mmCIF file of all heavy atoms in Angstrom:
data_model
loop_
_atom_site.group_PDB
_atom_site.id
_atom_site.type_symbol
_atom_site.label_atom_id
_atom_site.label_comp_id
_atom_site.label_asym_id
_atom_site.label_seq_id
_atom_site.Cartn_x
_atom_site.Cartn_y
_atom_site.Cartn_z
ATOM 1 N N PHE A 271 34.820 198.949 -13.118
ATOM 2 C CA PHE A 271 33.541 199.151 -12.461
ATOM 3 C C PHE A 271 32.550 198.144 -13.033
ATOM 4 O O PHE A 271 32.329 198.100 -14.245
ATOM 5 C CB PHE A 271 33.065 200.596 -12.672
ATOM 6 C CG PHE A 271 31.727 200.876 -12.060
ATOM 7 C CD1 PHE A 271 31.569 200.937 -10.687
ATOM 8 C CD2 PHE A 271 30.614 201.064 -12.872
ATOM 9 C CE1 PHE A 271 30.329 201.201 -10.130
ATOM 10 C CE2 PHE A 271 29.378 201.319 -12.333
ATOM 11 C CZ PHE A 271 29.228 201.391 -10.945
ATOM 12 N N GLU A 272 32.013 197.298 -12.153
ATOM 13 C CA GLU A 272 31.093 196.224 -12.522
ATOM 14 C C GLU A 272 31.675 195.317 -13.614
ATOM 15 O O GLU A 272 30.952 194.699 -14.389
ATOM 16 C CB GLU A 272 29.725 196.787 -12.939
ATOM 17 C CG GLU A 272 29.011 197.485 -11.792
ATOM 18 C CD GLU A 272 27.627 197.994 -12.151
ATOM 19 O OE1 GLU A 272 27.164 197.775 -13.288
ATOM 20 O OE2 GLU A 272 26.993 198.605 -11.267
ATOM 21 N N GLY A 273 32.996 195.264 -13.664
ATOM 22 C CA GLY A 273 33.675 194.397 -14.617
ATOM 23 C C GLY A 273 33.606 194.853 -16.060
ATOM 24 O O GLY A 273 34.077 194.156 -16.954
ATOM 25 N N LEU A 274 33.011 196.013 -16.293
ATOM 26 C CA LEU A 274 32.791 196.459 -17.678
ATOM 27 C C LEU A 274 33.277 197.859 -18.014
ATOM 28 O O LEU A 274 33.476 198.178 -19.171
ATOM 29 C CB LEU A 274 31.301 196.371 -18.016
ATOM 30 C CG LEU A 274 30.718 194.971 -18.078
ATOM 31 C CD1 LEU A 274 29.218 195.027 -18.230
ATOM 32 C CD2 LEU A 274 31.329 194.199 -19.235
ATOM 33 N N LEU A 275 33.428 198.701 -17.022
ATOM 34 C CA LEU A 275 33.724 200.106 -17.300
ATOM 35 C C LEU A 275 35.030 200.511 -16.630
ATOM 36 O O LEU A 275 35.191 200.347 -15.416
ATOM 37 C CB LEU A 275 32.580 200.983 -16.792
ATOM 38 C CG LEU A 275 32.706 202.475 -17.010
ATOM 39 C CD1 LEU A 275 32.662 202.794 -18.503
ATOM 40 C CD2 LEU A 275 31.601 203.212 -16.281
ATOM 41 N N LEU A 276 35.940 201.039 -17.417
ATOM 42 C CA LEU A 276 37.200 201.515 -16.867
ATOM 43 C C LEU A 276 37.030 202.976 -16.461
ATOM 44 O O LEU A 276 36.735 203.825 -17.299
ATOM 45 C CB LEU A 276 38.314 201.387 -17.908
ATOM 46 C CG LEU A 276 39.711 201.685 -17.385
ATOM 47 C CD1 LEU A 276 40.733 200.808 -18.075
ATOM 48 C CD2 LEU A 276 40.069 203.147 -17.533
ATOM 49 N N ARG A 277 37.161 203.218 -15.172
ATOM 50 C CA ARG A 277 37.156 204.586 -14.654
ATOM 51 C C ARG A 277 38.613 204.961 -14.420
ATOM 52 O O ARG A 277 39.293 204.366 -13.587
ATOM 53 C CB ARG A 277 36.371 204.662 -13.346
ATOM 54 C CG ARG A 277 34.895 204.464 -13.515
ATOM 55 C CD ARG A 277 34.206 204.593 -12.175
ATOM 56 N NE ARG A 277 32.773 204.651 -12.317
ATOM 57 C CZ ARG A 277 31.933 204.524 -11.302
ATOM 58 N NH1 ARG A 277 32.398 204.338 -10.076
ATOM 59 N NH2 ARG A 277 30.635 204.587 -11.505
ATOM 60 N N GLU A 278 39.072 205.964 -15.141
ATOM 61 C CA GLU A 278 40.497 206.274 -15.149
ATOM 62 C C GLU A 278 41.063 206.523 -13.752
ATOM 63 O O GLU A 278 42.111 205.968 -13.394
ATOM 64 C CB GLU A 278 40.787 207.474 -16.052
ATOM 65 C CG GLU A 278 42.273 207.767 -16.134
ATOM 66 C CD GLU A 278 42.621 208.891 -17.089
ATOM 67 O OE1 GLU A 278 41.745 209.359 -17.836
ATOM 68 O OE2 GLU A 278 43.791 209.302 -17.074
ATOM 69 N N LYS A 279 40.403 207.318 -12.954
ATOM 70 C CA LYS A 279 40.929 207.647 -11.624
ATOM 71 C C LYS A 279 41.075 206.381 -10.769
ATOM 72 O O LYS A 279 42.118 206.161 -10.139
ATOM 73 C CB LYS A 279 40.010 208.656 -10.932
ATOM 74 C CG LYS A 279 40.517 209.140 -9.598
ATOM 75 C CD LYS A 279 39.589 210.188 -9.007
ATOM 76 C CE LYS A 279 40.089 210.623 -7.640
ATOM 77 N NZ LYS A 279 39.187 211.585 -7.018
ATOM 78 N N ASP A 280 40.035 205.545 -10.745
ATOM 79 C CA ASP A 280 40.088 204.299 -9.968
ATOM 80 C C ASP A 280 41.149 203.352 -10.523
ATOM 81 O O ASP A 280 41.899 202.726 -9.769
ATOM 82 C CB ASP A 280 38.724 203.597 -9.976
ATOM 83 C CG ASP A 280 37.651 204.398 -9.263
ATOM 84 O OD1 ASP A 280 37.999 205.250 -8.406
ATOM 85 O OD2 ASP A 280 36.458 204.176 -9.565
ATOM 86 N N PHE A 281 41.205 203.256 -11.836
ATOM 87 C CA PHE A 281 42.160 202.359 -12.477
ATOM 88 C C PHE A 281 43.598 202.758 -12.138
ATOM 89 O O PHE A 281 44.424 201.917 -11.777
ATOM 90 C CB PHE A 281 41.936 202.362 -13.994
ATOM 91 C CG PHE A 281 42.670 201.282 -14.718
ATOM 92 C CD1 PHE A 281 42.171 199.991 -14.774
ATOM 93 C CD2 PHE A 281 43.880 201.556 -15.343
ATOM 94 C CE1 PHE A 281 42.862 198.985 -15.447
ATOM 95 C CE2 PHE A 281 44.566 200.572 -16.020
ATOM 96 C CZ PHE A 281 44.057 199.283 -16.067
ATOM 97 N N ARG A 282 43.880 204.048 -12.232
ATOM 98 C CA ARG A 282 45.225 204.542 -11.902
ATOM 99 C C ARG A 282 45.562 204.258 -10.440
ATOM 100 O O ARG A 282 46.704 203.937 -10.110
ATOM 101 C CB ARG A 282 45.347 206.032 -12.203
ATOM 102 C CG ARG A 282 45.446 206.328 -13.672
ATOM 103 C CD ARG A 282 45.662 207.824 -13.936
ATOM 104 N NE ARG A 282 45.805 208.081 -15.343
ATOM 105 C CZ ARG A 282 46.941 207.956 -16.018
ATOM 106 N NH1 ARG A 282 48.023 207.562 -15.405
ATOM 107 N NH2 ARG A 282 46.978 208.216 -17.305
ATOM 108 N N LYS A 283 44.572 204.340 -9.582
ATOM 109 C CA LYS A 283 44.799 204.058 -8.156
ATOM 110 C C LYS A 283 45.170 202.584 -7.969
ATOM 111 O O LYS A 283 46.092 202.261 -7.211
ATOM 112 C CB LYS A 283 43.548 204.408 -7.346
ATOM 113 C CG LYS A 283 43.715 204.230 -5.861
ATOM 114 C CD LYS A 283 42.467 204.648 -5.099
ATOM 115 C CE LYS A 283 42.687 204.380 -3.619
ATOM 116 N NZ LYS A 283 41.485 204.535 -2.829
ATOM 117 N N TYR A 284 44.453 201.696 -8.639
ATOM 118 C CA TYR A 284 44.785 200.267 -8.558
ATOM 119 C C TYR A 284 46.222 200.016 -9.012
ATOM 120 O O TYR A 284 46.967 199.265 -8.380
ATOM 121 C CB TYR A 284 43.829 199.425 -9.413
ATOM 122 C CG TYR A 284 42.437 199.285 -8.863
ATOM 123 C CD1 TYR A 284 41.335 199.599 -9.649
ATOM 124 C CD2 TYR A 284 42.214 198.825 -7.568
ATOM 125 C CE1 TYR A 284 40.033 199.459 -9.164
ATOM 126 C CE2 TYR A 284 40.930 198.683 -7.077
ATOM 127 C CZ TYR A 284 39.844 199.005 -7.872
ATOM 128 O OH TYR A 284 38.563 198.868 -7.388
ATOM 129 N N VAL A 285 46.595 200.643 -10.126
ATOM 130 C CA VAL A 285 47.943 200.448 -10.658
ATOM 131 C C VAL A 285 48.984 200.964 -9.668
ATOM 132 O O VAL A 285 49.999 200.305 -9.417
ATOM 133 C CB VAL A 285 48.097 201.129 -12.036
ATOM 134 C CG1 VAL A 285 49.551 201.121 -12.505
ATOM 135 C CG2 VAL A 285 47.205 200.450 -13.065
ATOM 136 N N THR A 286 48.735 202.111 -9.085
ATOM 137 C CA THR A 286 49.681 202.718 -8.141
ATOM 138 C C THR A 286 49.825 201.887 -6.868
ATOM 139 O O THR A 286 50.929 201.729 -6.344
ATOM 140 C CB THR A 286 49.227 204.151 -7.769
ATOM 141 O OG1 THR A 286 49.102 204.908 -8.968
ATOM 142 C CG2 THR A 286 50.209 204.822 -6.840
ATOM 143 N N GLU A 287 48.727 201.347 -6.373
ATOM 144 C CA GLU A 287 48.750 200.643 -5.095
ATOM 145 C C GLU A 287 49.085 199.146 -5.193
ATOM 146 O O GLU A 287 49.358 198.507 -4.187
ATOM 147 C CB GLU A 287 47.401 200.820 -4.396
ATOM 148 C CG GLU A 287 47.145 202.262 -3.993
ATOM 149 C CD GLU A 287 45.775 202.483 -3.373
ATOM 150 O OE1 GLU A 287 44.955 201.529 -3.341
ATOM 151 O OE2 GLU A 287 45.515 203.626 -2.947
ATOM 152 N N HIS A 288 49.077 198.594 -6.380
ATOM 153 C CA HIS A 288 49.327 197.158 -6.551
ATOM 154 C C HIS A 288 50.797 196.823 -6.277
ATOM 155 O O HIS A 288 51.695 197.595 -6.623
ATOM 156 C CB HIS A 288 48.945 196.730 -7.970
ATOM 157 C CG HIS A 288 48.922 195.252 -8.174
ATOM 158 N ND1 HIS A 288 47.933 194.456 -7.655
ATOM 159 C CD2 HIS A 288 49.775 194.430 -8.818
ATOM 160 C CE1 HIS A 288 48.172 193.195 -7.994
ATOM 161 N NE2 HIS A 288 49.290 193.152 -8.696
ATOM 162 N N ASP A 289 51.052 195.675 -5.664
ATOM 163 C CA ASP A 289 52.418 195.221 -5.399
ATOM 164 C C ASP A 289 52.960 194.503 -6.636
ATOM 165 O O ASP A 289 52.735 193.307 -6.826
ATOM 166 C CB ASP A 289 52.447 194.289 -4.185
ATOM 167 C CG ASP A 289 53.823 193.724 -3.909
ATOM 168 O OD1 ASP A 289 54.820 194.275 -4.439
ATOM 169 O OD2 ASP A 289 53.913 192.728 -3.171
ATOM 170 N N TRP A 290 53.678 195.215 -7.459
ATOM 171 C CA TRP A 290 54.192 194.666 -8.716
ATOM 172 C C TRP A 290 55.414 193.776 -8.507
ATOM 173 O O TRP A 290 55.764 192.995 -9.377
ATOM 174 C CB TRP A 290 54.513 195.798 -9.694
ATOM 175 C CG TRP A 290 53.284 196.577 -10.046
ATOM 176 C CD1 TRP A 290 52.953 197.824 -9.616
ATOM 177 C CD2 TRP A 290 52.195 196.143 -10.872
ATOM 178 N NE1 TRP A 290 51.730 198.197 -10.123
ATOM 179 C CE2 TRP A 290 51.241 197.174 -10.903
ATOM 180 C CE3 TRP A 290 51.937 194.984 -11.589
ATOM 181 C CZ2 TRP A 290 50.061 197.095 -11.616
ATOM 182 C CZ3 TRP A 290 50.755 194.902 -12.303
ATOM 183 C CH2 TRP A 290 49.836 195.952 -12.307
ATOM 184 N N SER A 291 56.040 193.875 -7.344
ATOM 185 C CA SER A 291 57.247 193.075 -7.085
ATOM 186 C C SER A 291 56.955 191.574 -7.089
ATOM 187 O O SER A 291 57.858 190.766 -7.290
ATOM 188 C CB SER A 291 57.898 193.480 -5.765
ATOM 189 O OG SER A 291 57.059 193.157 -4.669
ATOM 190 N N GLN A 292 55.696 191.191 -6.908
ATOM 191 C CA GLN A 292 55.341 189.766 -6.927
ATOM 192 C C GLN A 292 55.508 189.148 -8.316
ATOM 193 O O GLN A 292 55.470 187.929 -8.470
ATOM 194 C CB GLN A 292 53.914 189.557 -6.424
ATOM 195 C CG GLN A 292 52.848 190.191 -7.295
ATOM 196 C CD GLN A 292 51.461 190.080 -6.712
ATOM 197 O OE1 GLN A 292 50.999 188.976 -6.469
ATOM 198 N NE2 GLN A 292 50.813 191.225 -6.491
ATOM 199 N N TYR A 293 55.736 189.969 -9.337
ATOM 200 C CA TYR A 293 55.917 189.488 -10.704
ATOM 201 C C TYR A 293 57.393 189.457 -11.108
ATOM 202 O O TYR A 293 57.714 189.321 -12.284
ATOM 203 C CB TYR A 293 55.113 190.347 -11.680
ATOM 204 C CG TYR A 293 53.656 190.388 -11.315
ATOM 205 C CD1 TYR A 293 53.126 191.449 -10.589
ATOM 206 C CD2 TYR A 293 52.815 189.328 -11.637
ATOM 207 C CE1 TYR A 293 51.784 191.462 -10.224
ATOM 208 C CE2 TYR A 293 51.478 189.344 -11.273
ATOM 209 C CZ TYR A 293 50.976 190.413 -10.560
ATOM 210 O OH TYR A 293 49.659 190.416 -10.192
ATOM 211 N N GLN A 294 58.263 189.558 -10.123
ATOM 212 C CA GLN A 294 59.698 189.548 -10.383
ATOM 213 C C GLN A 294 60.092 188.296 -11.177
ATOM 214 O O GLN A 294 59.761 187.181 -10.780
ATOM 215 C CB GLN A 294 60.480 189.581 -9.064
ATOM 216 C CG GLN A 294 61.984 189.689 -9.232
ATOM 217 C CD GLN A 294 62.404 191.051 -9.764
ATOM 218 O OE1 GLN A 294 61.968 192.086 -9.275
ATOM 219 N NE2 GLN A 294 63.249 191.048 -10.782
ATOM 220 N N ASP A 295 60.754 188.510 -12.317
ATOM 221 C CA ASP A 295 61.270 187.435 -13.180
ATOM 222 C C ASP A 295 60.183 186.502 -13.704
ATOM 223 O O ASP A 295 60.438 185.328 -13.966
ATOM 224 C CB ASP A 295 62.356 186.631 -12.463
ATOM 225 C CG ASP A 295 63.561 187.489 -12.132
ATOM 226 O OD1 ASP A 295 63.881 188.395 -12.929
ATOM 227 O OD2 ASP A 295 64.181 187.265 -11.078
ATOM 228 N N LYS A 296 58.977 187.013 -13.877
ATOM 229 C CA LYS A 296 57.879 186.215 -14.416
ATOM 230 C C LYS A 296 57.483 186.757 -15.786
ATOM 231 O O LYS A 296 57.791 187.887 -16.138
ATOM 232 C CB LYS A 296 56.685 186.237 -13.461
ATOM 233 C CG LYS A 296 57.042 185.562 -12.144
ATOM 234 C CD LYS A 296 55.901 185.470 -11.202
ATOM 235 C CE LYS A 296 56.382 184.619 -10.040
ATOM 236 N NZ LYS A 296 55.884 184.918 -8.798
ATOM 237 N N TYR A 297 56.805 185.917 -16.531
ATOM 238 C CA TYR A 297 56.254 186.299 -17.830
ATOM 239 C C TYR A 297 54.776 186.562 -17.611
ATOM 240 O O TYR A 297 54.075 185.717 -17.056
ATOM 241 C CB TYR A 297 56.455 185.170 -18.847
ATOM 242 C CG TYR A 297 57.910 184.901 -19.139
ATOM 243 C CD1 TYR A 297 58.635 183.992 -18.376
ATOM 244 C CD2 TYR A 297 58.551 185.565 -20.174
ATOM 245 C CE1 TYR A 297 59.977 183.741 -18.645
ATOM 246 C CE2 TYR A 297 59.890 185.317 -20.448
ATOM 247 C CZ TYR A 297 60.591 184.407 -19.679
ATOM 248 O OH TYR A 297 61.913 184.173 -19.945
ATOM 249 N N VAL A 298 54.310 187.742 -18.029
ATOM 250 C CA VAL A 298 52.944 188.161 -17.713
ATOM 251 C C VAL A 298 52.149 188.455 -18.982
ATOM 252 O O VAL A 298 52.590 189.219 -19.844
ATOM 253 C CB VAL A 298 52.950 189.407 -16.800
ATOM 254 C CG1 VAL A 298 51.530 189.809 -16.428
ATOM 255 C CG2 VAL A 298 53.789 189.165 -15.552
ATOM 256 N N ALA A 299 50.976 187.837 -19.069
ATOM 257 C CA ALA A 299 50.031 188.117 -20.148
ATOM 258 C C ALA A 299 48.899 188.950 -19.559
ATOM 259 O O ALA A 299 48.287 188.564 -18.564
ATOM 260 C CB ALA A 299 49.485 186.814 -20.732
ATOM 261 N N LEU A 300 48.629 190.089 -20.154
ATOM 262 C CA LEU A 300 47.558 190.977 -19.709
ATOM 263 C C LEU A 300 46.322 190.731 -20.554
ATOM 264 O O LEU A 300 46.410 190.619 -21.776
ATOM 265 C CB LEU A 300 47.972 192.446 -19.876
ATOM 266 C CG LEU A 300 49.256 192.896 -19.192
ATOM 267 C CD1 LEU A 300 49.556 194.343 -19.569
ATOM 268 C CD2 LEU A 300 49.136 192.735 -17.684
ATOM 269 N N ARG A 301 45.177 190.666 -19.878
ATOM 270 C CA ARG A 301 43.937 190.489 -20.634
ATOM 271 C C ARG A 301 42.767 190.994 -19.812
ATOM 272 O O ARG A 301 42.891 191.260 -18.622
ATOM 273 C CB ARG A 301 43.732 189.035 -21.013
ATOM 274 C CG ARG A 301 43.342 188.149 -19.834
ATOM 275 C CD ARG A 301 43.099 186.730 -20.238
ATOM 276 N NE ARG A 301 41.958 186.614 -21.115
ATOM 277 C CZ ARG A 301 40.845 185.966 -20.822
ATOM 278 N NH1 ARG A 301 40.721 185.356 -19.678
ATOM 279 N NH2 ARG A 301 39.839 185.910 -21.664
#
């Protein structure tokens, strides 16, 4: 939220709805 606040419900929704298959066989750095 506004790039600064993690709202758990919204965050979980993003994770659930994101297409993770696009990262197949890739190396991923989270930040």
Side-chain angles (χ1 to χ4, degrees):
F271 178 70
E272 295 183 3
L274 293 172
L275 181 66
L276 188 146
R277 291 181 170 167
E278 183 176 351
K279 184 177 178 183
D280 295 337
F281 192 81
R282 286 184 178 276
K283 183 177 177 190
Y284 287 127
V285 171
T286 303
E287 294 176 354
H288 191 73
D289 177 17
W290 298 106
S291 66
Q292 64 185 302
Y293 304 98
Q294 185 70 48
D295 297 326
K296 295 184 173 147
Y297 296 89
V298 182
L300 304 175
R301 73 178 295 244

